[in-house]
Amino acid sequence: MKRQFSSTPRRVALRTVLTAGVAVAALVAGSAGAVAQSRPSAQKPTVVLVHGAFADSSSWNGVVKRLLRDGYPVVAASNPLRGLHSDAQYVRTVLASVKGPIVLAGHSYGGSVMSEAADGDKDVKALVYIASFAPDKGESTSGLAAKFPGGQLGEALNEVPVTVPGAGAGTDLYIKQDQFRRVFAADVPRQEAALMAATQRPITSAALDEKATRTAWKSIRSWFMITKQDLAIPAESMRFMAKRAKSHTVEINASHAVTVSEPQAVADLIERAARATR
């Protein structure tokens, strides 16, 4: 006679084990969720980039690529290059469009603009000057460029008469194309430098001569990249500005076009500033 065994107790036991397992898993998941919710999310600041004279936003392309790769939101502002105060007002509108904390970086004349634009903006947590200007009140970009010997940009400029909307007659400045690589981008490959020369954006002489009225670097922490092979801004001028701003400084053997020739080094400094604000 065959004996039949009921599977009911086995199924009950199995259901009991599974139910207990689900309950434990739910408890663990719920606890993990509660812990995650109790920890503030580590939001990375948005990096806003301001280009300088004789360039456009594409001069930041190599830097942008690396910042995006590392998870930073990025906005590269299109600096009008028409006048210091009007350019700063435009950059303020860009800053106002960004939600959350901002790391603001400027190259060359873009540093003058961001110093004016960021003053009083509580969302700007760090300023990063890349081969740049950081004028004090009453100083002009052109004045700082000539403060120390070694600059060779002035003699390489072409002056072109222009009518500036709202300001009347003025002068646009271009770098002579046959001089562009030597004074601006000596460490950029020749073919790329030729493209930069052909597509350069002019700046008005008035923008370079306009005097600063605001100085964000007096109230916002700053970082400064000094380019030791720079023929547009003498390294001594950059050291002078960085020292009085109490900036964290790095020095690099690069030309003025360091955002193009050394994008990784530039991105590294911007990210260092960003990490210091968290």
Side-chain angles (χ1 to χ4, degrees):
M1 178 177 174
K2 293 182 179 179
R3 297 176 63 183
Q4 294 181 348
F5 295 93
S6 173
S7 62
T8 301
R10 190 179 302 168
R11 288 199 297 268
V12 171
L14 182 59
R15 282 200 300 269
T16 301
V17 171
L18 289 174
T19 302
V22 170
V24 171
L27 179 60
V28 172
S31 300
V35 171
Q37 289 177 4
S38 68
R39 294 174 182 165
S41 60
Q43 178 190 8
K44 288 187 175 180
T46 298
V47 178
V48 177
L49 306 169
V50 184
H51 67 82
F54 318 115
D56 59 21
S57 296
S58 68
S59 61
W60 292 104
N61 280 357
V63 179
V64 171
K65 179 181 179 180
R66 288 160 174 80
L67 293 173
L68 291 175
R69 177 198 63 196
D70 294 340
Y72 287 90
V74 184
V75 176
S78 183
N79 190 355
L81 306 179
R82 300 293 84 190
L84 177 61
H85 299 139
S86 60
D87 293 344
Q89 181 57 46
Y90 171 76
V91 170
R92 283 188 202 105
T93 66
V94 175
L95 297 176
S97 73
V98 176
K99 294 182 180 179
I102 296 170
V103 171
L104 183 57
H107 174 245
S108 192
Y109 166 77
S112 298
V113 173
M114 76 176 189
S115 294
E116 190 88 11
D119 188 45
D121 191 326
K122 295 181 180 179
D123 288 331
V124 178
K125 305 302 182 182
L127 302 172
V128 187
Y129 293 90
I130 306 295
S132 195
F133 293 97
D136 202 347
K137 290 181 181 179
E139 292 179 339
S140 66
T141 303
S142 59
L144 284 169
K147 189 174 182 67
F148 294 89
Q152 298 181 26
L153 182 61
E155 63 197 41
L157 295 177
N158 263 335
E159 298 183 358
V160 178
V162 66
T163 300
V164 180
T171 301
D172 260 349
L173 301 175
Y174 293 83
I175 301 176
K176 298 171 184 176
Q177 290 195 30
D178 62 352
Q179 295 292 310
F180 188 94
R181 186 169 185 263
R182 181 183 70 82
V183 301
F184 195 86
D187 54 355
V188 173
R190 190 171 301 278
Q191 188 173 15
E192 188 172 0
L195 290 174
M196 292 169 64
T199 59
Q200 65 178 292
R201 285 186 53 207
I203 187 169
T204 65
S205 58
L208 296 178
D209 293 338
E210 217 169 324
K211 294 182 178 180
T213 59
R214 305 176 77 169
T215 50
W217 50 265
K218 289 187 177 181
S219 58
I220 302 173
R221 285 186 293 173
S222 61
W223 282 254
F224 215 113
M225 176 172 282
I226 296 167
T227 39
K228 295 193 289 185
Q229 304 303 320
D230 202 316
L231 296 183
I233 311 174
E236 279 306 309
S237 182
M238 287 183 268
R239 292 185 184 109
F240 164 77
M241 291 181 281
K243 182 178 180 180
R244 71 178 179 184
K246 299 180 175 61
S247 301
H248 305 275
T249 63
V250 298
E251 299 201 2
I252 184 171
N253 280 315
S255 75
H256 190 63
V258 66
T259 61
V260 178
S261 64
E262 297 287 350
Q264 185 63 60
V266 173
D268 286 346
L269 185 60
I270 292 171
E271 291 189 22
R272 187 186 307 176
R275 288 192 297 271
T277 67
R278 293 164 65 181

